[in-house]
Amino acid sequence: MKKKASFFWDTTLDPIDYPTRIKKKFFKESIKHRKKFIIWLEKISKSYTQEIDWWLKLPTSRDPYKSKLFKNLIILKILKEKKIKFQLNGIKVESKEFKSSIIKNTSFDGKLIKIGNKKEKIYQNLLLIIKSVLYILITFFLVNIFAKKKSIKNLKITLIDTFVDHRAGKNDTIYPNFQNILNKRNFKHVFFVPTFIINRNLLNTLNKVKSYSKSNYIFKEHFISLSDIFRSLVRCFKQKKFCKNYKNFQGLDCSMILINEIKSKNDLFNEIVARLNFIFVKNLKKKGINVKKSINRFENQSVDRGWNLGFRTFFPEAKVLGYQGYLYYPQLNNQTPVFYEEKAKIIPNSLITTSKFFKKPRREFYKKLKIIIGPSVEKQSIFKNIKFKYNYKFVLALSGIKLVDKKLLEWTIYALERNKKIKIIIKPHPILPIHRIINVKNKIFKKQARVSNENINKILEKTQILISSGPTGIILESLAYSCKLFYLYIDPNDVLLTKNLPLSRSMFKFIENKDSLSRYMNISNLKKLKKKPSKLRNYFFTKIDSKNINIFI
């Protein structure tokens, strides 16, 4: 006799918010199928190894904050289990394609499956297309009107890609300290190439264009045309050749959800920029520019793939390097290169990491990956003598990823509401202002919480316990500053941090739910943590010296 259905599952939520029995199963299956998913992607990508169009589509990105493919495959695996299927009184999904896939693979009653707001999704996609095209056109005209094109034809140059977002200031957004180092050494052949990330602060974009035009920057917009932009846009919509039946994943027919994601325009802006990166490099070659080295801030996003494929195609003799000055984030599967991506030439020839401890996890999917240990160019202050202070008992550090930060704030506010004696400092991430996540007029912010934009190094010197989660550098930085870390376990891959890195369990505490966070904060609020010098700064960060700085030259 079948058990009576007992709960509803909204699959569109983040897995941490699933019903308890589903969440545990999802976390377990995600780790179990992590590598199997990579192998399956390799099989379905064989026909498209030389197709740039394929490598710029969402399913191949492996970025869990953009692509829902892996998440949906795990959901299908779970729904195949009869015990769980018969306990459900309904589920909610994001698309009709996913609904059809569930019915086909699991025989789940279609009447019990609800689909999210389709009209809202169509509106969002249309708005994204308009915003993407407009911003690319605006930056194109700003550069060509206000920036003078530099003469670089008679130089053997090194090109370093960087990014410009909403943040103001004259220094480079990604490499502010490195820029100063280059200026002091008077390297005339090293140039930064900015990518303008879509944002509303057009005045800041204009100011950056004017400022950078006077320094060692060259602009892609000087080497591409309006027709290049429109051709790149049109190519993003040519996907008919990818609409076919694909090999099953672990016995699951997932062609419908795969094709639906291929058609998605959620990452349209980056897809256009990726094609323009490729065209930019191609045009450098046409104009006889001599590039001896390219350095990509490598996250294995589509923009990186366009850049790397361009240089490996048109400048085969150049050194094509990928710099990962950030730390190890197991949640971001895409940041760990895969062997079939090397065959497609969409990743660099060699990867630069800042620690020998990152070598093994970075080779998780590609054992022969070439890795160089390079300097932590933007984290040199971590090697200064640290004067420990105890001003802040708790600091909540946000990650810059809205999904993660909402959960960090939710759990923390829950703990604060249960103990009015606890005070906390909240450090927003520079790429995501806190007012876009939560209403700072909440009464919690008046009495118990204070938002601080103080320099992060200064904050960590004064912090006893840091609360954070997700792919953010402050996780390991806090341990290097001898802070105790309350790490919120909200992603299945979080467990790989302690598995792959030499972390002390006494200083690193996994927090599995908001009640546990409340309990540990209550206990810790009554104690004073004695901070001791940590060796971790030498484990995860590398000092600049005369030898390793030459990697960038």
Side-chain angles (χ1 to χ4, degrees):
M1 184 177 178
K2 295 180 182 178
K3 290 184 179 180
K4 188 177 179 180
S6 58
F7 63 95
F8 182 85
W9 181 12
D10 184 351
T11 68
T12 65
L13 296 175
D14 193 63
I16 191 67
D17 293 318
Y18 288 169
T20 302
R21 69 194 86 178
I22 297 288
K23 184 188 79 172
K24 289 181 179 179
K25 186 70 177 175
F26 186 94
F27 276 40
K28 181 180 178 182
E29 291 294 311
S30 294
I31 295 297
K32 180 180 176 182
H33 291 92
R34 182 178 164 94
K35 289 186 179 179
K36 293 176 183 178
F37 177 64
I38 298 299
I39 294 170
W40 174 72
L41 274 179
E42 189 267 338
K43 289 178 180 178
I44 67 170
S45 298
K46 274 186 177 178
S47 303
Y48 307 119
T49 302
Q50 306 303 319
E51 293 261 11
I52 185 174
D53 295 342
W54 174 254
W55 299 112
L56 303 184
K57 296 299 180 184
L58 275 182
T60 65
S61 72
R62 298 186 290 117
D63 184 340
Y65 296 109
K66 292 182 178 179
S67 170
K68 297 292 188 292
L69 181 59
F70 181 68
K71 176 187 175 182
N72 289 340
L73 292 177
I74 300 301
I75 291 170
L76 286 175
K77 290 289 291 182
I78 293 171
L79 286 172
K80 287 279 285 185
E81 295 190 19
K82 291 182 179 180
K83 285 184 180 180
I84 290 177
K85 186 166 66 173
F86 292 146
Q87 289 175 342
L88 290 167
N89 57 29
I91 56 177
K92 181 181 177 181
V93 297
E94 61 182 5
S95 67
K96 64 179 182 180
E97 289 80 10
F98 193 29
K99 177 180 178 178
S100 298
S101 291
I102 290 172
I103 295 170
K104 184 174 184 178
N105 286 286
T106 70
S107 301
F108 195 83
D109 187 352
K111 295 178 182 178
L112 299 177
I113 304 176
K114 295 181 180 180
I115 302 174
N117 193 331
K118 186 179 179 182
K119 288 184 179 179
E120 184 180 338
K121 189 171 287 187
I122 292 172
Y123 170 76
Q124 288 174 346
N125 280 340
L126 181 60
L127 187 62
L128 182 62
I129 292 170
I130 295 170
K131 284 169 62 178
S132 299
V133 175
L134 277 178
Y135 189 76
I136 289 170
L137 288 173
I138 288 169
T139 54
F140 176 83
F141 286 115
L142 287 179
V143 167
N144 281 283
I145 293 171
F146 294 101
K148 185 179 178 181
K149 187 175 180 180
K150 289 184 175 65
S151 176
I152 54 175
K153 196 165 185 177
N154 298 321
L155 298 171
K156 288 185 178 180
I157 61 173
T158 293
L159 297 181
I160 303 174
D161 86 318
T162 186
F163 296 86
V164 177
D165 57 17
H166 67 278
R167 285 172 280 182
K170 293 183 178 181
N171 289 333
D172 189 90
T173 308
I174 305 299
Y175 300 105
N177 296 326
F178 186 42
Q179 175 69 273
N180 294 332
I181 292 169
L182 289 177
N183 290 339
K184 286 178 183 178
R185 301 195 179 200
N186 200 28
F187 289 117
K188 301 286 188 181
H189 67 283
V190 180
F191 294 90
F192 290 89
V193 183
T195 291
F196 295 92
I197 299 173
I198 190 168
N199 70 87
R200 297 176 184 176
N201 194 346
L202 294 178
L203 180 60
N204 180 59
T205 302
L206 173 59
N207 290 335
K208 290 281 188 178
V209 169
K210 289 180 176 180
S211 174
Y212 289 173
S213 66
K214 299 173 185 176
S215 188
N216 57 331
Y217 286 77
I218 64 170
F219 297 95
K220 290 179 284 187
E221 289 78 5
H222 281 147
F223 293 85
I224 60 175
S225 64
L226 283 173
S227 61
D228 289 329
I229 293 172
F230 286 110
R231 277 198 298 268
S232 296
L233 173 63
V234 171
R235 282 288 294 271
C236 293
F237 289 87
K238 290 187 176 181
Q239 55 223 1
K240 189 176 180 179
K241 59 185 172 183
F242 301 132
C243 298
K244 65 173 193 177
N245 290 323
Y246 290 90
K247 290 184 179 180
N248 289 1
F249 174 78
Q250 300 287 297
L252 297 170
D253 183 346
C254 49
S255 293
M256 278 185 285
I257 56 174
L258 184 59
I259 293 169
N260 186 48
E261 195 160 282
I262 288 171
K263 292 179 178 180
S264 169
K265 296 296 170 282
N266 288 345
D267 200 36
L268 178 69
F269 177 78
N270 287 324
E271 189 175 343
I272 297 171
V273 173
R275 296 180 192 282
L276 293 176
N277 279 349
F278 185 81
I279 293 168
F280 161 67
V281 180
K282 181 180 180 180
N283 289 343
L284 287 178
K285 185 67 175 180
K286 282 183 178 179
K287 292 180 182 296
I289 307 300
N290 190 346
V291 180
K292 69 169 188 174
K293 185 183 292 184
S294 92
I295 299 172
N296 165 230
R297 186 183 181 275
F298 182 67
E299 293 185 4
N300 207 2
Q301 301 284 357
S302 55
V303 291
D304 303 320
R305 293 175 173 189
W307 173 282
N308 291 316
L309 181 60
F311 280 104
R312 294 188 65 177
T313 301
F314 302 110
F315 293 90
E317 301 303 318
K319 289 184 179 180
V320 182
L321 305 177
Y323 180 59
Q324 292 190 331
Y326 52 85
L327 306 176
Y328 170 58
Y329 310 137
Q331 307 89 348
L332 294 174
N333 193 303
N334 54 296
Q335 292 183 353
T336 299
V338 179
F339 60 94
Y340 58 78
E341 293 170 345
E342 165 59 28
K343 290 181 182 178
K345 297 183 178 180
I346 57 173
I347 62 173
N349 295 126
S350 300
L351 208 61
I352 306 167
T353 67
T354 62
S355 168
K356 66 179 181 181
F357 290 103
F358 300 153
K359 281 187 173 183
K360 184 178 178 181
R362 280 289 175 251
R363 286 175 173 149
E364 180 182 3
F365 308 128
Y366 180 26
K367 302 300 181 186
K368 295 181 180 179
L369 179 68
K370 296 176 183 177
I371 296 179
I372 303 166
I373 303 300
S376 308
V377 292
E378 295 306 320
K379 295 296 177 183
Q380 291 302 294
S381 59
I382 207 165
F383 296 106
K384 294 179 181 178
N385 290 328
I386 300 172
K387 295 179 181 179
F388 294 130
K389 300 175 184 178
Y390 300 91
N391 303 49
Y392 308 141
K393 171 64 75 172
F394 299 106
V395 170
L396 173 66
L398 303 182
S399 69
I401 295 174
K402 197 170 186 178
L403 198 69
V404 176
D405 290 346
K406 279 185 175 181
K407 194 57 57 181
L408 283 167
L409 287 163
E410 177 193 325
W411 287 20
T412 302
I413 290 173
Y414 177 86
L416 294 177
E417 288 174 340
R418 275 147 188 78
N419 188 340
K420 304 298 182 183
K421 294 181 181 179
I422 295 177
K423 309 286 185 184
I424 194 166
I425 301 297
I426 300 177
K427 172 62 177 172
H429 195 283
I431 68 169
L432 183 60
I434 193 168
H435 68 265
R436 294 186 185 176
I437 313 167
I438 193 172
N439 181 7
V440 291
K441 293 181 180 179
N442 185 308
K443 62 181 180 179
I444 287 288
F445 289 89
K446 293 181 180 179
K447 296 182 179 180
Q448 292 176 266
R450 178 170 67 86
V451 177
S452 173
N453 289 308
E454 187 180 1
N455 179 279
I456 191 58
N457 300 320
K458 297 294 183 184
I459 288 179
L460 291 176
E461 285 180 5
K462 298 182 281 189
T463 300
Q464 293 183 51
I465 298 171
L466 186 91
I467 302 168
S468 194
S469 190
T472 171
I474 202 171
I475 299 299
L476 298 182
E477 287 178 55
S478 68
L479 296 173
Y481 277 88
S482 302
C483 305
K484 186 162 186 173
L485 178 65
F486 284 177
Y487 187 94
L488 307 196
Y489 181 30
I490 61 178
D491 186 286
N493 300 289
D494 288 339
V495 294
L496 299 177
L497 276 170
T498 52
K499 180 181 178 182
N500 292 330
L501 300 177
L503 303 178
S504 167
R505 293 299 179 97
S506 64
M507 298 301 289
F508 188 107
K509 183 70 179 175
F510 269 126
I511 308 292
E512 296 195 5
N513 53 59
K514 56 188 178 183
D515 288 309
S516 293
L517 178 63
S518 178
R519 185 170 64 255
Y520 282 112
M521 288 181 75
N522 289 341
I523 294 169
S524 301
N525 200 43
L526 302 173
K527 299 178 181 179
K528 185 175 181 179
L529 174 70
K530 182 68 176 177
K531 297 173 78 170
K532 298 178 182 179
S534 171
K535 294 181 180 179
L536 290 180
R537 62 179 177 177
N538 296 314
Y539 286 0
F540 302 136
F541 304 91
T542 299
K543 279 185 177 182
I544 291 177
D545 59 38
S546 57
K547 184 178 179 181
N548 62 32
I549 196 64
N550 286 328
I551 294 171
F552 295 90
I553 312 305

